[in-house]
């Protein structure tokens, strides 16, 4: 087959505008800058993919959580848009159909704004928002239909870069952009009031601060969309590309959208990041207590293996991605220990307690340290009594003390575990 002839058109600036590759691709970028942009995009893609993986796992655990599903879908849209913009992927898709990455990214962006709206609707109205979001889906499908139709009937130049300033004189490019910008403005404007309601009801200052940043970013994105629409209207009136009337608002549009997208990501990511940072000392504390409880847990688990709470079997990589895995293991260990101590109750001996009280006082122990020493002796003796099948003859059972909540109780049990370990070593030495 012969080569397709190149058609040419004149923009209002008087310059010849060839079809095919646009000026931004012909001129290119310095090699160092291109490599840097590619590296940054690759890092962002990996980070977003990790977040998406965590969200997918969370959705699998709670498929009925509509806000979580909306967030996960939104993160999925973000991942796809970043992934498609990777140089290698974009080049491959352009090889299949010139401009296909641009169309895909625009459609994914619209879908992402839809899921932002869905998240706030589901968070505020719950199941009552399902019918509303059905109507929103109809509008989304109509908008996407207009974009796809316009893109297919447009020239190759417009297909490759519909948002390029020199393409703004093309009717198909204006229809494509105004349709996309109008839908984004609509969804983001509707989200504004919902964000305010969500912020007022949000618990935690980090969430409220993140939502305020997110709310401000929506204003910037909406303002940027209006500026771009104004640019397109000026182009339809014949304003030249080099005119300050066009260059100034177009530059403002790029700045507002860039800052708005950064604020958008910061507002959504800040509460999660802040929460994870603040949780680091809590995780370290729970991990430490989990290890301190091990000696007591081991002796009880050996005697009562059926009390072990079976955790669902998961692969190692999935367990690593589960941020709450440390907490679940810690909670499970405390519960299993408490269950085991209850089952040992028939074997606790008052005489052993009195002897331990005297021995502990002789060692200089007092207060909670003495009480912990006494209870540890009761446990070690009870384990031996159970092994020999001899229950206590006392009619009134001894109840072991502990903390007033889970954390204080786990600290008490950790001290008890240390004494049990020491007594066990002393008895075997």
């Amino acid at each position: 087959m012969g080569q397709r002839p190149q058609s040419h058109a004149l923009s209002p600036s008087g310059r010849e505008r060839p079809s095919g590759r646009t000026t931004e691709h012909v001129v290119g970028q310095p090699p160092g800058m291109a490599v840097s942009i590619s590296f940054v995009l690759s890092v962002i893609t990996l980070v977003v993919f990790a977040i998406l993986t965590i969200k997918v796992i969370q959705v699998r655990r709670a498929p009925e959580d509509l806000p979580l599903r909306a967030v996960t879908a939104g993160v999925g849209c973000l991942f796809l848009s970043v992934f498609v913009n990777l140089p290698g992927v974009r080049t491959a898709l352009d090889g299949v159909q010139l401009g296909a990455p641009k169309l895909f990214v625009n459609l994914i962006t619209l879908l992402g704004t839809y899921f932002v709206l869905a998240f706030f609707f589901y968070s505020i109205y719950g199941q009552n928002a399902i019918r509303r979001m059905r109507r929103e889906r109809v509008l989304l499908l109509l908008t996407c239909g207009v974009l796809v139709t316009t893109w297919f009937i447009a020239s190759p130049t417009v297909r490759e870069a519909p948002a390029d300033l020199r393409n703004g004189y093309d009717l198909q490019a204006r229809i494509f952009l105004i349709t996309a910008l109008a839908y984004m403005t609509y969804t983001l404007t509707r989200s504004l009031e919902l964000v305010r309601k969500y912020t007022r009801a949000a618990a935690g200052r980090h969430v409220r601060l993140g939502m305020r940043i997110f709310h401000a970013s929506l204003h910037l994105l909406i303002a940027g969309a209006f500026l771009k629409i104004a640019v397109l209207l000026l182009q339809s009136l014949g304003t030249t590309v080099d005119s300050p009337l066009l260059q100034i608002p177009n530059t403002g549009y790029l700045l507002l959208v860039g800052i708005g997208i950064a604020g958008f990501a910061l507002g959504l990511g800040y509460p999660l990041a802040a929460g994870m940072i603040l949780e680091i000392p809590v995780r370290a504390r729970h991990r430490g207590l989990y290890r301190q409880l091990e000696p007591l847990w081991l002796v009880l688990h050996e005697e009562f293996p059926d009390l072990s709470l079976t955790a669902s079997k998961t692969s190692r990589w999935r367990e690593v991605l589960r941020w709450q895995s440390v907490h679940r293991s810690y909670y499970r260990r405390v519960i299993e220990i408490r269950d085991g101590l209850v089952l040992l109750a028939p074997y606790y001996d008052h005489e052993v307690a009195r002897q331990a009280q005297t021995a502990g006082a002789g060692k200089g122990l007092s207060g909670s340290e003495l009480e912990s020493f006494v209870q540890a002796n009761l446990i070690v003796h009870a384990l031996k009594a159970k092994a020999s099948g001899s229950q206590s003859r006392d009619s009134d059972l001894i109840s072991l003390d502990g903390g007033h909540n889970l954390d204080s109780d786990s600290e008490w049990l950790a001290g008890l575990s240390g004494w049990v370990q020491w007594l066990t070593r002393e008895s075997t030495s």
Side-chain angles (χ1 to χ4, degrees):
M1 294 182 63
Q3 290 183 334
R4 184 173 54 188
Q6 292 283 334
S7 60
H8 296 76
L10 291 176
S11 71
S13 64
R15 296 191 179 95
E16 193 174 38
R17 179 163 59 86
S19 63
R21 294 283 176 182
T22 57
T23 306
E24 58 178 337
H25 296 287
V26 174
V27 175
Q29 295 172 330
M33 183 179 293
V35 172
S36 299
I37 293 175
S38 176
F39 175 75
V40 171
L41 282 175
S42 300
V43 172
I44 293 174
T45 303
L46 291 175
V47 172
V48 176
F49 178 74
I51 296 173
L52 177 61
T53 303
I54 294 172
K55 290 299 177 185
V56 169
I57 293 173
Q58 291 175 345
V59 168
R60 290 187 62 183
R61 293 172 55 198
E64 72 287 349
D65 192 329
L66 295 177
L68 178 59
R69 287 165 56 180
V71 167
T72 304
V75 175
C77 291
L78 177 60
F79 168 73
L80 289 174
S81 64
V82 177
F83 178 74
V84 169
N85 274 307
L86 291 173
V89 179
R90 186 173 64 245
T91 302
L93 292 176
D94 270 330
V96 176
Q97 175 63 60
L98 185 65
K102 295 289 184 181
L103 175 63
F104 182 80
V105 168
N106 276 278
L107 294 176
I108 285 295
T109 301
L110 298 187
L111 190 60
T113 60
Y114 163 82
F115 284 120
V116 169
L117 184 63
F119 167 76
F120 289 108
F121 263 126
Y122 290 141
S123 298
I124 295 172
Y125 300 107
Q127 295 288 334
N128 295 329
I130 293 178
R131 182 174 297 179
R132 296 189 186 191
M133 294 316 299
R134 286 174 184 165
R135 294 195 294 268
E136 296 296 334
R137 280 197 292 274
V138 173
L139 180 59
L140 172 66
L141 290 173
L142 289 175
T143 305
C144 291
V146 173
L147 260 62
V148 172
T149 303
T150 305
W151 186 84
F152 270 107
I153 65 176
S155 65
T157 304
V158 173
R159 288 186 187 179
E160 186 183 7
D164 186 86
L165 193 58
R166 296 187 181 278
N167 287 332
Y169 302 98
D170 188 283
L171 178 61
Q172 281 79 26
R174 290 201 298 271
I175 294 174
F176 185 94
L177 289 175
I178 290 176
T179 301
L181 291 169
Y183 179 81
M184 288 178 59
T185 303
Y186 163 76
T187 53
L188 296 180
T189 302
R190 292 205 68 185
S191 298
L192 282 175
E193 180 58 31
L194 296 175
V195 172
R196 283 193 287 267
K197 291 181 179 179
Y198 185 86
T199 303
R200 286 194 295 266
R205 62 187 180 91
H206 295 294
V207 175
R208 288 194 294 271
L209 178 57
M211 287 300 99
R212 291 190 186 102
I213 296 173
F214 182 78
H215 187 264
S217 72
L218 292 184
H219 281 288
L220 294 177
L221 291 172
I222 293 170
F226 276 117
L227 273 181
K228 185 61 176 179
I229 292 174
V231 168
L232 294 170
L233 292 177
L234 287 172
Q235 288 184 288
S236 68
L237 296 175
T239 307
T240 61
V241 171
D242 297 328
S243 171
L245 290 175
L246 216 59
Q247 292 292 335
I248 292 174
N250 192 67
T251 303
Y253 152 73
L254 295 174
L255 288 174
L256 288 174
V257 169
I259 298 172
I261 291 175
F264 190 95
L266 178 62
L268 291 180
Y270 169 74
L272 176 62
M276 293 178 72
I277 291 173
L278 291 174
E279 198 179 348
I280 289 175
V282 179
R283 285 171 56 85
R285 180 171 171 273
H286 284 181
R287 186 183 290 110
L289 286 170
Y290 177 82
R291 291 171 179 170
Q292 292 176 45
L293 292 169
E294 185 171 12
L296 178 57
W297 178 82
L298 283 174
V299 295
L300 292 173
H301 178 70
E302 184 178 352
E303 194 63 43
F304 305 106
D306 294 338
L307 284 181
S308 180
L309 300 175
T310 305
S312 57
K313 293 183 179 180
T314 56
S315 60
R316 182 176 294 274
W317 69 267
R318 183 177 295 179
E319 192 63 27
V320 169
L321 289 174
R322 286 184 174 179
W323 184 254
Q324 301 295 327
S325 61
V326 170
H327 305 303
R328 285 198 304 273
S329 300
Y330 158 70
Y331 297 144
R332 193 163 56 236
R333 177 154 290 185
V334 173
I335 293 171
E336 290 173 357
I337 288 174
R338 273 298 172 188
D339 288 345
L341 294 179
V342 170
L343 291 180
L344 276 180
Y347 302 93
Y348 297 144
D349 194 310
H350 285 271
E351 182 59 30
V352 171
R354 285 189 289 269
Q355 293 176 2
Q357 184 83 18
T358 304
K363 294 177 180 293
L365 302 178
S366 62
S368 61
E369 192 73 14
L370 177 58
E371 188 177 356
S372 182
F373 176 77
V374 171
Q375 293 192 9
N377 276 272
L378 283 171
I379 293 169
V380 172
H381 181 272
L383 288 169
K384 294 177 180 178
K386 183 180 183 301
S388 62
S390 58
Q391 292 190 7
S392 174
R393 298 178 181 179
D394 297 316
S395 58
D396 54 327
L397 299 180
I398 300 176
S399 61
L400 301 187
D401 295 330
H404 59 278
N405 56 32
L406 180 62
D407 286 338
S408 62
D409 191 49
S410 62
E411 290 178 356
W412 172 263
L413 292 175
L416 197 60
S417 179
W419 278 118
V420 168
Q421 184 179 31
W422 183 82
L423 291 170
T424 304
R425 287 176 179 172
E426 286 292 309
S427 63
T428 56
S429 61

